[in-house]
Amino acid sequence: QEPTASAQTGAVAEVLSRYRSAVERLDATNTEQLFTEDSQVFENGGVEGTYRNYLAHHLGPELGHFTSFRFSNLAVDIRFEGPVALATESYTYRIERHEGEPIERRGVTTSVLRRTPQGWRIVSMHGSSRAPRPPQPSN
């Protein structure tokens, strides 16, 4: 029996949530299981390769420089196109580092997920961010 659309949406949202939670814990242990072996990660105009490569050469080492990483103002949109899920997450985040000033950004991530026998897995993830714009003066 095919799971309901609501159950599928919940399952995709859970994969995305597990990834964000790992980043907030500064511990990417077991996050490889959220991605397919042939996944592709893109970040701020860069091609990072597979998630395994991204974890080894970018995310993993980067997390070691942080004392805190917090997402807020999260909005998630998930839709299905045939056998894949397309997810867009918009958020703000704040990073506190061992050295240097905190970093605050507005970000967006788009992910393509495929249902596998092990559950939904991320095939492609593209994230970008920018500094928040200052409030505009009212007229």
Side-chain angles (χ1 to χ4, degrees), residues 18-19 22 27-35 51 55 59:
R18 287 177 57 198
Y19 180 76
D27 181 1
T29 305
N30 297 322
T31 53
E32 298 97 326
Q33 65 186 313
L34 303 174
F35 292 78
Y51 179 72
L55 179 59
L59 181 64

Side-chain angles (χ1 to χ4, degrees), residues 5 8 19 23 27 33 55-56 68 78 80-81 92 98 100 102 104 108 112 118 127 138:
Q8 295 296 339
Y19 180 76
V23 171
D27 181 1
Q33 65 186 313
L55 179 59
S68 174
I78 298 168
F80 296 89
E81 295 289 336
T92 56
H98 291 290
E104 294 190 23
V108 65
V112 177
Q118 297 77 34
S138 37

Side-chain angles (χ1 to χ4, degrees), residues 2 5 8-9 12 77-88 111-115 120 123:
E2 193 69 20
Q8 295 296 339
T9 300
V12 169
D77 178 65
I78 298 168
R79 74 176 209 261
F80 296 89
E81 295 289 336
V84 301
L86 306 173
T88 303
S111 299
V112 177
L113 296 89
R114 178 175 62 223
R115 195 167 68 178
W120 287 96
V123 176

Side-chain angles (χ1 to χ4, degrees), residues 24 70-75 90-94:
E24 287 189 318
R70 292 288 171 248
F71 290 99
S72 58
N73 304 313
L74 178 68
S90 58
Y91 45 83
T92 56
Y93 64 89
R94 179 182 170 92

Side-chain angles (χ1 to χ4, degrees), residues 2-133:
E2 193 69 20
T4 65
S6 176
Q8 295 296 339
T9 300
V12 169
E14 177 63 20
V15 170
L16 302 172
S17 176
R18 287 177 57 198
Y19 180 76
R20 283 190 315 275
S21 293
V23 171
E24 287 189 318
R25 285 191 319 273
L26 307 177
D27 181 1
T29 305
N30 297 322
T31 53
E32 298 97 326
Q33 65 186 313
L34 303 174
F35 292 78
T36 62
E37 283 292 321
D38 62 345
S39 62
Q40 290 292 303
V41 176
F42 308 92
E43 186 176 83
N44 290 326
V47 178
E48 303 289 342
T50 65
Y51 179 72
R52 194 171 298 277
N53 184 69
Y54 175 65
L55 179 59
H57 300 286
H58 186 118
L59 181 64
E62 191 172 62
L63 292 176
H65 295 282
F66 303 157
T67 60
S68 174
F69 193 123
R70 292 288 171 248
F71 290 99
S72 58
N73 304 313
L74 178 68
V76 179
D77 178 65
I78 298 168
R79 74 176 209 261
F80 296 89
E81 295 289 336
V84 301
L86 306 173
T88 303
E89 302 167 276
S90 58
Y91 45 83
T92 56
Y93 64 89
R94 179 182 170 92
I95 298 170
E96 294 184 14
R97 304 176 292 172
H98 291 290
E99 294 183 17
E101 294 297 314
I103 299 168
E104 294 190 23
R105 297 284 186 265
R106 291 180 52 202
V108 65
T109 299
T110 55
S111 299
V112 177
L113 296 89
R114 178 175 62 223
R115 195 167 68 178
T116 71
Q118 297 77 34
W120 287 96
R121 298 293 182 261
I122 301 168
V123 176
S124 178
M125 177 181 275
H126 181 204
S128 64
S129 65
R130 65 179 180 210
R133 293 184 177 144

